[in-house]
Amino acid sequence: MILFRSTAYSLYLVALTIVMGVLAFPIRLFAARLALPYAKLWCRLLIGGLRVLCGTAFRVEGLERLPVDGAFLIASQHQSAFDTLVWMTLLPKPAYVMKQELTRIPLVGPMLLLTGMVPVERGARSKAMRSLLKETAKAAANGRQIIIFPEGTRVEPGESVPLKPGVAAMARHTSLPVYPVATDSGRYWGRKGFFKRPGVISIVIGEKLEVEKRGALLDEIRTAWRVGERSIAGETAEQAICQTAGG
């Protein structure tokens, strides 16, 4: 059943992306201001399809901690492609820090640039950092909510990798507050991307961090993630007990 559902969702994702990519041409040519709302609609449809076809929903804890609008940084764990979609549905003006090569994807790439995402060329370190800080300042000036994945890649649930310093440099450069986010999306949408499992993805938003020292901020992010993971584990255990009792 999981194989069938995952296959159906993959077909849905490809078909939706092609159709909306083609329909986006008028926006790219004549109505750039509609690019972000259009991209947000695409993400809502993808997440809605995930719920309908795969039985995969999500819950958010701590959303009330985020400002209603204005610029800030989200430092999120990254376990699956789901993490790159969900903030488009939760924030008014999101801007993801993303790999430069994604902008070269046909149909999708031009829209990523038009929506104000923050591409980074990861190979050139000093050049990439200067570009990141420049684009971050621009996004902050435009009141964007900037999402970055400090792990730098998708990481299996429970796995730990060194955090990249970019988020600390961004915070110091812009003086924006940082909100740490823990998730267990990898339990339901695999790191490799194909299999989708039914259940409820948890997203836990931690308390605002405003730490001056780079190393201290990275430590604070990791500590906040551990707190979020414990909250997720408690919620998962409670759900399992309720399901057992209900059965």
Side-chain angles (χ1 to χ4, degrees):
M1 181 60 76
I2 290 177
L3 176 61
F4 173 78
R5 287 184 163 195
S6 298
T7 301
Y9 183 75
S10 294
L11 294 173
Y12 170 75
L13 185 155
V14 171
L16 180 67
T17 301
I18 291 174
V19 170
M20 293 194 69
V22 171
L23 293 177
F25 275 103
I27 292 176
R28 289 164 55 181
L29 294 173
F30 307 113
R33 62 185 177 81
L34 298 178
L36 183 60
Y38 192 76
K40 288 165 73 73
L41 172 62
W42 177 72
C43 290
R44 284 196 297 272
L45 291 173
L46 286 179
I47 290 178
L50 184 68
R51 184 181 64 253
V52 172
L53 296 173
C54 301
T56 311
F58 73 94
R59 72 173 189 95
V60 183
E61 177 184 324
L63 190 61
E64 71 282 353
R65 292 180 175 135
L66 300 180
V68 175
D69 55 18
F72 53 83
L73 291 166
I74 292 283
S76 176
Q77 290 181 320
H78 191 20
Q79 297 182 2
S80 78
F82 176 85
D83 310 318
T84 66
L85 300 174
V86 70
W87 294 102
M88 292 290 279
T89 72
L90 295 175
L91 301 174
K93 297 174 66 177
Y96 285 89
V97 176
M98 64 181 194
K99 297 180 292 185
Q100 176 76 41
E101 51 263 39
L102 294 178
T103 64
R104 295 190 284 271
I105 299 175
L107 299 179
V108 174
M111 286 297 287
L112 290 174
L113 292 174
L114 206 58
T115 55
M117 300 298 115
V118 182
V120 177
E121 188 177 350
R122 297 194 297 181
R125 294 185 179 179
S126 59
K127 179 182 177 182
M129 182 60 74
R130 289 194 298 270
S131 175
L132 173 63
L133 296 182
K134 178 182 177 181
E135 293 301 318
T136 299
K138 185 188 301 183
N142 290 328
R144 304 294 294 267
Q145 300 83 48
I146 306 165
I147 303 97
I148 186 169
F149 303 110
E151 292 157 311
T153 188
R154 297 174 195 172
V155 176
E156 297 284 355
E159 184 181 346
S160 180
V161 298
L163 303 187
K164 307 296 183 183
V167 63
M170 293 164 67
R172 292 180 64 188
H173 187 69
T174 60
S175 299
L176 293 177
V178 179
Y179 291 87
V181 175
T183 184
D184 65 346
S185 63
R187 295 180 59 215
Y188 306 95
W189 184 325
R191 181 173 177 265
K192 299 298 182 181
F194 181 75
F195 287 105
K196 318 295 187 300
R197 294 173 173 80
V200 181
I201 294 171
S202 294
I203 299 168
V204 178
I205 301 169
E207 297 287 351
K208 178 175 64 175
L209 302 177
E210 292 179 302
V211 182
E212 294 294 328
K213 296 181 180 179
R214 175 182 298 184
L217 178 57
L218 297 181
D219 289 341
E220 290 286 342
I221 290 172
R222 192 175 292 284
T223 298
W225 283 356
R226 299 292 87 82
V227 172
E229 288 170 351
R230 288 195 291 272
S231 176
I232 291 171
E235 179 70 20
T236 302
E238 184 178 338
Q239 290 175 357
I241 292 171
C242 291
Q243 290 173 359
T244 301

